[in-house]
Amino acid sequence: MSTPAFSSPVTMADPRWKPSSRAPLLWAVNAALMWIPVFVAQVVWAVVDGAWTSWPHVTVFAASAALALAHVLVVPGWRYRVHRWEVSDTAVYTRSGWFTQERRIAPISRVQTVDTERGPVDRLLGLATVTVTTASSAGAVRIAALDTEIADATVARLTEIAGRNRGDAT
């Protein structure tokens, strides 16, 4: 099997910037908040059933606790080692995920909007997510868990670069 011929070699470098050092804490808090309804449902089930220590309750609780601990303690660090981002004069690059990893490259000429999102936990930690909406069926490119100042500077830079670009964003 031969490799396809290209006119010039292209080197795909990983994006160089990490999210904020507070990103693992954000992801851990969000994961813990997600598990609260699961444990509340288990308590309700045990109260309604009236058998707190029966094997189904203990088994489901133990499995839930193990998964929750992994989700809260292991996954945020793993995600932090994977997540990267970069903005150049020609494109926005991201790498994200933890189990399934995704690399996205969005040409500046395709940028339609640039938004900043700050949820309650993000605001508490001084973080924000920058969303770059493009004319792509793959959806927007998200740069998660940036320090607020860096997010604002990134939005300003992307807006300025996109304004110079004469692409039609379609």
Side-chain angles (χ1 to χ4, degrees):
M1 177 181 231
S2 63
T3 56
F6 295 102
S7 60
S8 64
V10 175
T11 302
M12 294 296 294
D14 284 330
R16 62 180 152 166
W17 304 111
K18 291 181 179 183
S20 170
S21 60
R22 293 185 302 276
L25 178 59
L26 171 71
W27 296 328
V29 169
N30 285 338
L33 291 172
M34 187 200 85
W35 282 98
I36 289 172
V38 172
F39 287 108
V40 168
Q42 288 180 20
V43 168
V44 169
W45 174 40
V47 168
V48 169
D49 191 34
W52 291 84
T53 58
S54 67
W55 74 266
H57 293 288
V58 172
T59 303
V60 170
F61 179 80
S64 298
L67 290 171
L69 285 173
H71 194 191
V72 172
L73 300 177
V74 176
V75 171
W78 191 348
R79 283 181 70 182
Y80 187 72
R81 284 189 290 279
V82 171
H83 280 234
R84 297 288 182 274
W85 69 279
E86 187 172 347
V87 173
S88 74
D89 286 340
T90 57
V92 178
Y93 306 86
T94 62
R95 186 179 72 186
S96 61
W98 60 280
F99 189 70
T100 300
Q101 297 178 13
E102 176 183 60
R103 285 179 59 160
R104 300 278 309 270
I105 301 170
I108 294 294
S109 63
R110 307 281 285 173
V111 171
Q112 293 180 329
T113 62
V114 182
D115 303 302
T116 305
E117 177 185 343
R118 294 179 180 103
V121 180
D122 297 274
R123 288 192 306 272
L124 183 67
L125 297 174
L127 300 175
T129 295
V130 173
T131 303
V132 181
T133 305
T134 64
S136 168
S137 61
V141 175
R142 293 174 46 88
I143 307 170
L146 299 179
D147 291 319
T148 302
E149 303 80 28
I150 292 173
D152 291 342
T154 301
V155 168
R157 180 160 186 245
L158 278 168
T159 302
E160 189 266 325
I161 293 169
R164 286 187 309 205
N165 193 297
R166 298 288 181 217
D168 63 0
T170 60

